[in-house]
Amino acid sequence: EPEVTQTPSHQVTQMGQEVILRCVPISNHLYFYWYRQILGQKVEFLVSFYNNEISEKSEIFDDQFSVERPDGSNFTLKIRSTKLEDSAMYFCASGRGGQPQHFGDGTRLSIL
Amino acid sequence: GDSVTQMEGPVTLSEEAFLTINCTYTATGYPSLFWYVQYPGEGLQLLLKATKADDKGSNKGFEATYRKETTSFHLEKGSVQVSDSAVYFCALSGASGGSNYKLTFGKGTLLTVNP
């Protein structure tokens, strides 16, 4: 069964550095998402992406965050200048409109 | 805005016990409802779904019924196994219609099943 793949599985970065999290969604899906889960808290929506543009973003998704689908297969989340509170598990998901979303295994981001 | 409230854990059961994890939601429209499961070290996997009132979602012995009158989607299983140990998340999407498919999650409930 096709799956969403995320790399790396764990990223350790110094505060203030830029980080790029990568995702390869399922190939025939059209909707792409990023979520995050701070340790011990609920999974929170960050952003959705459709037709090569952001369709919705949460208040968490401020100017430090950006998403891109650079080559038709990858879907990336960039954090420009990381803060300690960005430490979390980041999940990529993809879907076909009203169908349930498929999630990757996540990238654990640790900011030092 | 939309929200999901689910039973706080952790929940610890013996093998073959009956499981209920409560979930209620608040939404302005007509959401689809989901249960996702997260096994240790893995991502979120869809367990079951229901898209309209009175629908029952089922998978791997788990069931949940979409109850519009009580705005609930409680997860049940008649006889749990050790392999069911995981974190269970209740979620909703599409409450406001259109192309809003983002998921709103509950806090998750950790289930531990002992042999």
Side-chain angles (χ1 to χ4, degrees), chain A residues 9-79:
Chain A
S9 57
H10 191 190
Q11 174 82 45
V12 181
T13 301
Q14 291 288 331
M15 188 172 58
Q17 296 296 305
E18 175 183 285
V19 66
I20 297 176
L21 309 183
R22 302 181 192 280
C23 169
V24 180
I26 293 173
S27 61
N28 62 353
H29 285 182
L30 302 176
Y31 293 81
F32 313 110
Y33 308 84
W34 284 100
Y35 295 83
R36 80 171 185 192
Q37 184 182 27
I38 295 172
L39 188 64
Q41 299 186 25
K42 69 165 95 176
V43 178
E44 300 173 290
F45 167 77
L46 291 179
V47 65
S48 58
F49 193 86
Y50 171 71
N51 201 24
N52 285 319
E53 60 183 20
I54 291 173
S55 49
E56 186 171 352
K57 59 183 180 180
S58 73
E59 57 192 27
I60 301 168
F61 193 89
D62 62 21
D63 291 344
Q64 294 298 313
F65 290 88
S66 62
V67 289
E68 212 174 33
R69 189 157 158 79
D71 56 12
S73 62
N74 290 285
F75 180 51
T76 61
L77 174 70
K78 182 194 291 187
I79 309 174

Side-chain angles (χ1 to χ4, degrees), chain B residues 90-106:
Chain B
C90 186
L92 66 81
S93 80
S96 54
S99 61
N100 178 8
Y101 302 119
K102 71 174 185 185
L103 286 165
T104 299
F105 286 90

Side-chain angles (χ1 to χ4, degrees), chain B residues 24-81:
Chain B
T24 57
Y25 67 90
T26 302
T28 53
Y30 303 95
S32 294
L33 302 175
F34 306 87
W35 278 99
Y36 279 84
V37 59
Q38 185 178 30
Y39 297 103
E42 298 185 16
L44 297 161
Q45 300 176 25
L46 178 69
L47 181 59
L48 53 84
K49 66 170 183 173
T51 56
K52 61 183 187 298
D54 300 324
D55 269 3
K56 177 187 281 188
S58 60
N59 186 26
K60 299 182 182 179
F62 291 88
E63 293 183 340
T65 301
Y66 190 142
R67 300 283 187 205
K68 190 166 183 292
E69 64 277 12
T70 54
T71 61
S72 65
F73 193 55
H74 304 321
L75 181 69
E76 296 183 335
K77 186 173 185 181
S79 176
V80 293
Q81 305 301 312

